[in-house]
Amino acid sequence: MVAIAIENTPEVRERLARIIAETCRCDAEPLLEGMPFASVIEQFDSLAMLEILLAIETELGVDSESLMRRADSETVNLEETFPEDLSSLIQLMKVVLDNNPGAQSAVLQKPEQAKAKTVMEASAQ
């Protein structure tokens, strides 16, 4: 699978904001404006945080356990370590993926990349 680096670009911000808005039933626009999750998501607790991480894993292929794990601690308290806003979440994802490339599968492929990959795979068989 082809993966691209996670960067704080409009495409990545919009996709993550959409994922979070759909998961937590909130408006994506304040997230894009940099408002803290706790100000935008009505019930922003550890369950909401876990649902966000699982939705990111499902949609983007980024391992949720890798996002929750910290090098200095086996046990993670999500409420203490979860990023406060969209930019912080993107930064965490970037650090995790830079340090652990295995934590990523197909992330944010552009349609033409996915199509080219499919054609290449089909011709190799």
Side-chain angles (χ1 to χ4, degrees):
M1 292 183 173
V2 176
I4 65 169
I6 294 289
E7 298 292 338
N8 200 347
T9 63
E11 178 186 30
V12 172
R13 292 180 65 79
E14 289 171 14
R15 183 121 182 232
L16 283 172
R18 181 189 54 77
I19 290 168
I20 294 167
E22 289 174 1
T23 301
C24 297
R25 293 175 285 293
C26 66
D27 186 14
E29 196 58 38
L31 298 172
L32 291 167
E33 293 170 1
M35 289 187 65
F37 295 133
S39 298
V40 179
I41 301 168
E42 190 172 321
Q43 293 184 358
F44 188 64
D45 56 13
S46 59
L47 180 58
M49 294 171 194
L50 183 59
E51 288 176 341
I52 290 169
L53 294 177
L54 293 173
I56 290 170
E57 180 172 27
T58 300
E59 290 254 346
L60 303 179
V62 180
D63 180 51
S64 58
E65 286 187 39
S66 296
L67 290 172
M68 290 187 288
R69 192 175 305 123
R70 298 296 183 269
D72 59 342
S73 176
E74 284 285 322
T75 305
V76 175
N77 181 339
L78 274 180
E79 292 178 339
E80 292 176 5
T81 61
F82 198 85
E84 72 176 49
D85 60 21
L86 199 57
S87 293
S88 300
L89 178 60
I90 292 169
Q91 181 61 32
L92 171 64
M93 292 172 66
K94 180 172 175 30
V95 168
V96 166
L97 295 174
D98 286 349
N99 293 332
N100 183 10
Q104 180 181 27
S105 60
V107 177
L108 293 173
Q109 286 187 40
K110 294 188 177 179
E112 60 274 7
Q113 289 174 319
K115 186 176 182 179
K117 180 78 172 156
T118 303
V119 170
M120 288 179 2
E121 287 174 348
S123 64
Q125 293 177 354

